[in-house]
Amino acid sequence: MKKIFRAVLLTGFIALFSIPAYTQITSNTNKRIVALLDLTAKNAETSDAEFYSAKYILKTAGIPFIVTTDVNVAKNYGTILGSSRFDVTTFSTDEKDTLINYVNKGGVLIAASVRDPYFNTLFGISANVNSNTRYTVKFNYFLNDPSFKWLNDTMEQTISLAKTTYTAVFFTRSYDLSGALALAVYNDNTTAITKRNYGAGTTYALGFSFRNLIAVNQQNLDYSANRFYSNGFEPTSDAVMLFIKGIYNAHVPKATWLHTSPYNSKTSLMITHDVDATSAYDTMHLYADYETSKGIKASYLFTTHYINDGLLSDFYNLNSIPKVQYVLNKGHVAGSHSVGHFPDFDDEAVFPLGVLGNTPSNYLPYNFGTGSTTAGSVLGEVEVSKNLLENNFGLNVKTFRAGYLCFHDKIINALDTVGYTNSTTLSAADILTNFPFQQRKNRSVSGAYTNVWEFPMTISDVFFSDGITPSNYPQKVATWLDVLNRNMANNAPNILLIHPTRVYKLTAMQDFLNALPSGVCIMSLETFADYWKARNAVSFTSKISNDSLTITVPSVQLPIHPAVSFVIDKGQQLTSIKAQDELGNPITVIKSNFNTNDIILHFENYPALGIDDQSTKNEKPVFITVSPNPTSGNCVFDFRLERTSSIKLELLDILGNVVKLVANKNFNEGWQQIELNTTEFKPGIYFYRLSVDDTKPLVKKLIISR
């Protein structure tokens, strides 16, 4: 079935663009397309994991490509990417000579794990050595090779394959050089990646398989290669993709690719909230109000805990339903965060897959607070929580995140069965990628594809070694900004997880949003998911003629999702850039300068990029300070108004409850003062909230001491 599907895909693509089977690379368009040479059958592989991983790299990079199993078809394109190893028996002698001749005449050949001595001269190597005790790959960045264009972060320049605590990991191959350049080395200083100029063309030999650095990492089956669990930048898989993208960019003039961020933004940010405690239900309205005031739609993932057990009270009840409705009325999106929020949810011995037909009446899992959960099932957790939210609020719930980020081996099976389309349970740093991917069943690199996409969580309010507190949250905000900025350099997405249980976390989120760099596109996870899936379905070609570039998109894909865009490398040097369908009918696009010398084509302007742009409408600026702070008696609030305004000043406790209405009246423009006597309050951390007319409230910290 897989072979038939690939054949149909290839036939349809070729027919769509009317690409003839040239005997040599003569087409300007063909030179700008990568031929993914599917070696699954030639290498008698038992799964498509290698092919999937190579295809995922090209899809995520946004590079135009075709798929073929035929060397004589592949030779008609500017670059050939082999999906897996070049073994002694992989190719016939004629096919080997065809590949050598292809490079000699100007082709670019990228191969993973070159084992056949027949290719030694082509790749500039004399021997290769297999080993399962290599733990890192370090790019020789000092060479300034064009393929390193996006590998400008230290975490990308040395990528992690496995933790050194393992005495043996997966096998990698090193090369003895004989004319090639070492682009990267392993931790044992042997060569990991080679580059060789051969005739008019170029070859690249990688010493590792795509499967082990893409598919395995996505399923979190790696050898603990992550250097962080969360709240850190961990780009091992992304660096491999960016390296291949760098090769393509280096060999294709004015290279063109699908952008990885919506519209003409530099990065995207999705704000998500896990509502998994009574305090979260009580405080989340403050978050919803603030986000709405900023024009932000956030994703609220609700734990529907209707059971009173040893872990949690039955906080999903008739009293909590209006609170959820309040958030939804503000325009935010609801998802599921399970029923029980059990810490042993990923224990396959405790949680069987179960069967369908679960309801709050017959699904009654229980945990005494110690030991294992009883009467739970994976389908019970995902089915009941989805149905409750949909029935109570008339929704279509698409997104699921497991409690404690517990990733059960059958969780994707259950999500697919019940009808979810988005999962955001895995931590980006833990699985070594920041980009989304289509999930497979059984947590297996060879599992059946599902309709569920994984959107890795990037940054959160959970810090294991040093938790977020009212006093250290500015440092945590700095960490979030650091990760976002590093992802931004790769146009990778960011998902922020905040548990809306404390007001100081809201303040942290506000500080984070107010400090965002320009070019950040903020949207709900569900909106981003729709964009990403639409992007994944787009195919295109591009052609250069003199100083003009034309992008061609098949008419069956029109109209393109408005958030999808194309980047043209050094496009500002071109005199003309246009888009059309295969019949030559023009496609209306918006052209903008991008980066230093690039051009980005997009189909619709995003109304606002970044928190500053979203916060300027109808806002009356205010500046406020309080002194002394900390205070043990009287304190004075000083604030400045641009015009006469209605002022409401409230004092909140750490849970966000209003403990005193300090002022609620009109004040004139200019500097004003309000005095507060704090002796009636217990010592501790409080927050004051200042609302000016109907604009966003300003929340800051006040410490009361004795």
Side-chain angles (χ1 to χ4, degrees), residues 220-287:
N220 206 9
L221 298 172
D222 57 281
Y223 288 87
S224 304
N226 56 293
R227 290 164 282 192
F228 304 91
Y229 174 75
S230 66
N231 289 313
F233 179 63
E234 180 51 88
T236 283
S237 293
D238 298 348
V240 176
M241 179 272 290
L242 292 168
F243 174 64
I244 299 298
K245 186 175 181 179
I247 293 175
Y248 177 78
N249 187 75
H251 292 280
V252 176
K254 308 299 187 294
T256 303
W257 59 85
L258 279 166
H259 191 34
T260 51
S261 194
Y263 305 99
N264 59 338
S265 64
K266 297 291 185 67
T267 188
S268 47
L269 172 66
M270 288 70 73
I271 299 172
T272 66
H273 300 296
D274 286 358
V275 186
D276 53 18
T278 301
S279 56
Y281 275 90
D282 291 342
T283 312
M284 65 182 176
H285 67 281
L286 299 175
Y287 290 74

Side-chain angles (χ1 to χ4, degrees), residues 136-145 147-148 151-160 182-186 192-193 206 208 213 235-236 238-244 247:
T136 62
V137 171
K138 180 181 180 181
F139 290 92
N140 289 328
Y141 194 70
F142 63 87
L143 295 174
N144 293 317
D145 191 82
S147 62
F148 299 159
L151 304 181
N152 48 15
D153 192 287
T154 55
M155 294 293 287
E156 298 162 345
Q157 292 162 12
T158 300
I159 60 175
S160 176
L183 292 185
V185 296
Y186 297 110
I193 301 175
L206 283 62
F208 45 82
L213 270 70
T236 283
D238 298 348
V240 176
M241 179 272 290
L242 292 168
F243 174 64
I244 299 298
I247 293 175

Side-chain angles (χ1 to χ4, degrees), residues 149-356:
K149 176 180 173 69
W150 285 281
L151 304 181
N152 48 15
D153 192 287
T154 55
M155 294 293 287
E156 298 162 345
Q157 292 162 12
T158 300
I159 60 175
S160 176
L161 305 181
K163 276 196 169 47
T164 56
T165 50
Y166 290 93
T167 56
V169 297
F170 61 85
F171 280 95
T172 54
R173 195 164 295 272
S174 65
Y175 303 106
D176 293 342
L177 303 181
S178 180
L181 181 69
L183 292 185
V185 296
Y186 297 110
N187 56 288
D188 60 5
N189 211 36
T190 59
T191 300
I193 301 175
T194 70
K195 176 183 179 181
R196 160 81 152 161
N197 294 325
Y198 184 90
T202 309
T203 61
Y204 298 84
L206 283 62
F208 45 82
S209 78
F210 294 123
R211 171 190 179 276
N212 285 331
L213 270 70
I214 302 295
V216 169
N217 291 348
Q218 287 178 355
Q219 297 304 320
N220 206 9
L221 298 172
D222 57 281
Y223 288 87
S224 304
N226 56 293
R227 290 164 282 192
F228 304 91
Y229 174 75
S230 66
N231 289 313
F233 179 63
E234 180 51 88
T236 283
S237 293
D238 298 348
V240 176
M241 179 272 290
L242 292 168
F243 174 64
I244 299 298
K245 186 175 181 179
I247 293 175
Y248 177 78
N249 187 75
H251 292 280
V252 176
K254 308 299 187 294
T256 303
W257 59 85
L258 279 166
H259 191 34
T260 51
S261 194
Y263 305 99
N264 59 338
S265 64
K266 297 291 185 67
T267 188
S268 47
L269 172 66
M270 288 70 73
I271 299 172
T272 66
H273 300 296
D274 286 358
V275 186
D276 53 18
T278 301
S279 56
Y281 275 90
D282 291 342
T283 312
M284 65 182 176
H285 67 281
L286 299 175
Y287 290 74
D289 288 344
Y290 169 75
E291 289 155 350
T292 300
S293 75
K294 289 291 191 178
I296 295 171
K297 285 190 176 182
S299 300
Y300 284 74
L301 306 173
F302 295 100
T303 298
T304 57
H305 200 269
Y306 51 84
I307 303 152
N308 188 4
D309 65 2
L311 291 175
L312 298 168
S313 65
D314 53 345
F315 52 71
Y316 188 80
N317 51 44
L318 291 177
N319 292 327
S320 60
I321 287 177
K323 298 175 182 179
V324 175
Q325 190 63 63
Y326 181 89
V327 169
L328 299 180
N329 289 344
K330 291 288 183 177
H332 303 297
V333 184
S336 168
H337 192 42
S338 76
V339 171
H341 203 270
F342 297 115
D344 53 355
F345 179 65
D346 57 353
D347 189 335
E348 283 70 27
V350 174
F351 278 85
L353 176 60
V355 296
L356 288 172

Side-chain angles (χ1 to χ4, degrees), residues 29-35 58 61-65 78-79 108 110 146-147 150 204 241-257 540-542 567 569:
T29 298
N30 281 19
K31 290 179 182 179
R32 304 173 66 80
I33 295 174
V34 173
L58 296 174
I63 296 170
F65 69 98
T79 301
V108 178
I110 308 170
S147 62
W150 285 281
Y204 298 84
M241 179 272 290
L242 292 168
F243 174 64
I244 299 298
K245 186 175 181 179
I247 293 175
Y248 177 78
N249 187 75
H251 292 280
V252 176
K254 308 299 187 294
T256 303
W257 59 85
F540 74 99
T541 61
S542 64
V567 177
D569 181 59

